[in-house]
Amino acid sequence: MQATDSAVYVIKENRRSKFEAPTGKGLSRLDADTGKPRWNYALDSSAVVNNVVSSGDTVYLCLSGAVVHALDAATGQRRWKFNQDSSPSNVFNGVTAIATRESVYVGGISKKGPASALYALDAATGQRRWSYPSTADSVINGALPVGDIVLVGKSDDGNTVLALDAATGKRHWSTPGSVGDLTVAEDMVYLTDFDRSRALDAATGKERWRFPAGDPNLDPQVTDRTVYLAGALKSKETRHVYALGRSDGRKRWTYRATAEIETLWLPSHP
């Protein structure tokens, strides 16, 4: 189930009546205020839905095997379909497609071999703009569009973050790390590991600053002036919270907890 301000999207079985067997699956749009169904888009009963993403006036229904249906959000009519004919695989660890106004990014594993790839599709037409393949012993495991680049995670012997040009797929820079362990704020990328935290220029990959503590299980929290991160200096447990200058990484204060810190977050503001 996915929701926006005006709609709730639900994947369900389609039945002619409650006494008959399912005729397939369907994506239904419900009005967020009233719960009334607006439309239903029918799918084959064997379809495996990975996720539903919404961007502008289009809903992207993403199926296992790098299959994408682009639907008109108001009517449910299909605008285009992309089918890479890939093996069923959740190569994005549960986030199999990400949409922006210009592009839809989806991953798949080739049926001809174990290599995976990231595909960039034109959001308006579904035409493939470019693809970035991995090697046979590595897997594309995440993607995050940031302005004119796409940050892509690749796993082999270790984890690597790649910065690809959003328009062409050309590789700009790479650095050790995982897409799942980073935070992006404006022109900066913040990466954490158990022994360090780093701030990188999003356009060039150049390191702006580093701090000798971190925890990849707790994402850095960023405001206009400050980065808050949790980590351990000489202890195996994460018991410290650090407030660092966003632009220079200078420590402003430290909080030491008496037990391990499990969650770090900032409340959102309306």
Side-chain angles (χ1 to χ4, degrees):
M1 182 173 68
Q2 300 287 334
T4 66
D5 290 339
S6 59
V8 178
Y9 297 96
V10 179
I11 301 292
K12 63 179 182 62
E13 292 183 334
N14 285 336
R15 297 173 182 263
R16 293 187 177 92
S17 74
K18 65 180 181 179
F19 303 106
E20 297 184 33
T23 58
K25 297 180 181 178
L27 172 68
S28 295
R29 171 177 171 156
L30 311 180
D31 186 283
D33 293 326
T34 66
K36 292 182 178 180
R38 295 302 183 190
W39 49 257
N40 181 75
Y41 182 75
L43 295 168
D44 186 81
S45 59
S46 62
V48 178
V49 179
N50 284 329
N51 70 333
V52 178
V53 293
S54 176
S55 180
D57 61 353
T58 306
V59 177
Y60 302 96
L61 175 62
C62 309
L63 310 182
S64 182
V67 178
V68 182
H69 297 248
L71 311 178
D72 185 295
T75 66
Q77 294 295 311
R78 190 172 79 189
R79 291 176 170 171
W80 53 258
K81 177 183 177 180
F82 173 82
N83 186 352
Q84 182 55 34
D85 193 28
S86 296
S87 295
S89 178
N90 224 352
V91 296
F92 281 180
N93 294 333
V95 185
T96 52
I98 300 171
T100 67
R101 288 185 177 181
E102 294 80 21
S103 300
V104 179
Y105 302 95
V106 63
I109 293 181
S110 173
K111 289 183 177 179
K112 299 179 180 179
S116 64
L118 172 70
Y119 303 98
L121 313 179
D122 186 288
T125 66
Q127 295 296 310
R128 188 170 74 177
R129 302 175 67 183
W130 52 261
S131 63
Y132 187 87
S134 68
T135 58
D137 57 352
S138 64
V139 175
I140 301 295
N141 60 11
L144 179 64
V146 182
D148 295 331
I149 65 171
V150 183
L151 298 176
V152 178
K154 185 177 74 169
S155 298
D156 37 40
D157 292 335
N159 292 323
T160 303
V161 175
L162 309 172
L164 307 181
D165 188 286
T168 66
K170 180 181 178 181
R171 177 172 167 174
H172 286 317
W173 54 264
S174 64
T175 188
S178 172
V179 169
D181 301 333
L182 62 79
T183 298
V184 177
E186 296 182 5
D187 60 343
M188 299 274 279
V189 177
Y190 302 92
L191 281 163
T192 59
D193 205 337
F194 282 112
D195 60 353
R196 64 178 179 175
S197 296
R198 296 177 293 148
L200 309 180
D201 184 289
T204 66
K206 182 179 180 180
E207 186 175 293
R208 296 274 189 90
W209 54 260
R210 69 168 55 194
F211 186 76
D215 187 333
N217 297 314
L218 299 173
D219 294 338
Q221 302 294 305
V222 184
T223 66
D224 291 340
R225 299 178 55 193
T226 308
V227 177
Y228 302 94
L229 58 89
L233 285 176
K234 297 182 180 181
S235 170
K236 294 182 180 180
E237 293 185 341
T238 297
R239 294 192 175 188
H240 295 78
V241 176
Y242 304 95
L244 311 178
R246 180 180 177 277
S247 60
D248 57 16
R250 291 184 180 181
K251 185 170 64 175
R252 294 179 175 174
W253 53 258
T254 303
Y255 165 77
R256 188 182 188 281
T258 57
E260 186 173 8
I261 297 170
E262 297 182 353
T263 306
L264 177 68
W265 57 276
L266 294 177
S268 59
H269 297 282

